[in-house]
């Protein structure tokens, strides 16, 4: 084999890394497929087959992003592209996603998919083995959670059922963005308890309209 043939064969077999541009284009193609499956990163696909396809694509995405973060910036179609620690969103945007879509994909949708698979296939969560590579640290806004819990309490108390359901969906989405799945479950359960009228318990001296400085105590109760 010629030197070029050896290199091509070794890249195909995974013995040596492919050029940055090849990996970049592969990841970009995977992101395009994920975007189509999830209606531009908004929701899980409806069918079980497409959910399985999404799981496979997320694994491909994860492997590809982990590789891209290891390369030095390189030229792609005349532009210098690579992972920049000072501006991690730059690579995400070049791949065809916004920063918000990347967070939605790697936290909310990924956790929703894992929860669905656990429920439907009745397998332990650890067997799915899907830990996402985040392009940057995901900051959790617990003040936003407090605001949502306060809204939900007041909406249920005032009988605004449709608004309350919308707020509950936002709380569930927040919970599905957390890596701590135990705490996420507590948040989801707390929202259910408020919606169903289990909290605040009958006879308590809970004051309305609710004004919360923190949601932790409510969630624990």
């Amino acid at each position: 084999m010629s030197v070029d043939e050896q290199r091509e064969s070794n890249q195909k077999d995974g013995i040596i890394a492919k050029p940055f541009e090849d990996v970049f284009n592969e990841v970009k193609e995977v992101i395009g497929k994920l975007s189509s499956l999830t209606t531009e990163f908004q929701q899980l696909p409806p069918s079980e087959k497409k959910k399985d396809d999404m799981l496979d694509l997320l694994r491909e995405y994860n492997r590809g992003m982990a590789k891209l973060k290891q390369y030095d910036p390189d030229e792609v179609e005349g532009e210098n592209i690579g992972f920049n620690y000072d501006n991690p969103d730059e690579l995400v945007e070049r791949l065809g996603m916004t920063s918000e879509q990347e967070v939605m994909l790697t936290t909310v949708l990924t956790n929703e998919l894992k929860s669905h698979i656990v429920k439907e296939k009745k397998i332990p969560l650890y067997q799915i083995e899907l830990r996402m590579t985040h392009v940057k640290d995901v900051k959790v806004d617990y003040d936003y959670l407090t605001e949502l819990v306060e809204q939900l309490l007041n909406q249920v108390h005032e009988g605004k059922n449709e608004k309350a359901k919308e707020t509950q969906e936002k709380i569930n989405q927040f919970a599905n963005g957390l890596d701590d799945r135990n705490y996420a479950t507590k948040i989801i359960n707390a929202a259910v308890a408020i919606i169903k009228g289990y909290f605040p318990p009958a006879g308590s001296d809970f004051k309305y309209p609710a004004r919360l400085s923190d949601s932790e105590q409510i969630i624990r109760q």
Side-chain angles (χ1 to χ4, degrees), residues 38-50:
T38 59
T39 318
E40 295 186 348
F41 313 104
Q42 294 182 60
Q43 59 190 21
L44 295 184
S47 75
E48 292 303 313
K49 172 67 171 64
K50 287 185 177 180

Side-chain angles (χ1 to χ4, degrees), residues 102-156:
E102 188 265 341
V103 172
M104 187 74 177
L105 175 67
T106 59
T107 59
V108 177
L109 292 178
T110 296
N111 286 328
E112 284 182 0
L113 181 62
K114 288 194 286 188
S115 297
H116 175 84
I117 293 169
V118 166
K119 184 179 177 182
E120 290 298 311
K121 300 190 177 179
K122 296 180 173 57
I123 58 173
L125 184 62
Y126 69 84
Q127 286 189 10
I128 299 172
E129 294 180 354
L130 184 61
R131 294 182 179 275
M132 298 304 295
T133 296
H134 299 294
V135 174
K136 61 180 180 181
D137 291 336
V138 178
K139 294 179 181 177
V140 181
D141 186 356
Y142 287 103
D143 289 339
Y144 176 58
L145 175 62
T146 299
E147 181 184 320
L148 290 175
V149 172
E150 180 183 292
Q151 278 180 15
L152 186 63
L153 283 163
N154 289 327
Q155 287 163 349
V156 171

Side-chain angles (χ1 to χ4, degrees), residues 53-94:
D53 291 344
M54 181 181 173
L55 182 63
D56 291 339
L57 286 168
L58 281 172
R59 288 187 171 127
E60 282 187 52
Y61 167 85
N62 209 33
R63 285 193 294 268
M65 287 303 293
K67 290 176 185 175
L68 287 178
K69 289 180 73 174
Q70 296 176 47
Y71 284 88
D72 290 327
D74 205 346
E75 190 172 291
V76 177
E77 296 179 358
E79 291 187 84
N80 201 42
I81 298 175
F83 179 68
N84 180 353
Y85 282 94
D86 296 325
N87 183 15
D89 290 337
E90 184 179 25
L91 177 60
V92 170
E93 288 165 4
R94 296 292 181 89

